[in-house]
Structure formats: structure tokens, C-alpha cells
Amino acid sequence: MLINFLSIILPAFSGDTISDVKVLLTSNNKQKTYEHVKAVALMSIKIAEQYDLDKSICELSGYLHDISAIIAPQDMLSNAIANGWHIDEA
């Protein structure tokens, strides 16, 4: 749960997932990540058109695929250890 990560800024959300992804990432100084996921979302739409897939689902998947970038790697590791998850050296 994001509330456990005190370094994350949680802005007010509008309910529009794509807009909320932008606000969440940019509020947490992840502008480059936002530009990346936006580009992936646009490419996902092209792939969806090519293979007759649901464009909105593919677009949303592109926007959400790196959403965890707002969590610092050390926080991810600490959370995994605290929950007793297996940590692989890779």
C-alpha cells in the first residue's frame, strides 16, 4: 500500500486514470518516467490497431506499466524484507 511509503507524494486524484498517472509521476519528480509511459501508451495503441485489440486497455497498460517508479528501490527492498518475501540476487 502506498501509504506505507512516506516519501511518496499522493496528490488528489480526479478519477481519470491517464491524467492521474501524469499528476502522480510528475508530483514525485518522475517527469522522464511520465514521458516514457506516454510514448509506450501511444505505441500500444498502434499495436492494438494492428492486432484488433482493445485500444483503451492497451493504452492504459502503457501508462501504468512503470507506475512503481515512484517508490525508491531501497523502500521496495525494505518492504519485501519486512513482508518476508524471497529476495533473489538477480
Side-chain angles (χ1 to χ4, degrees), residues 24-37:
L24 180 64
L25 289 173
T26 57
S27 295
N28 285 279
N29 298 313
K30 297 294 182 180
Q31 182 65 33
K32 286 184 181 180
T33 303
Y34 172 70
E35 295 300 328
H36 164 68
V37 299

Side-chain angles (χ1 to χ4, degrees), residues 49-67:
E49 290 169 346
Q50 183 177 353
Y51 292 99
D52 196 30
L53 303 172
D54 187 315
K55 290 186 281 188
S56 62
I57 291 173
C58 293
E59 177 185 24
L60 190 57
S61 297
Y63 275 105
L64 292 172
H65 85 277
D66 273 341
I67 200 72

Side-chain angles (χ1 to χ4, degrees), residues 67-87:
I67 200 72
S68 67
I70 63 172
I71 303 171
Q74 186 57 45
D75 288 343
M76 289 182 193
L77 178 60
S78 297
N79 186 59
I81 291 169
N83 284 291
W85 298 343
H86 172 74
I87 308 297

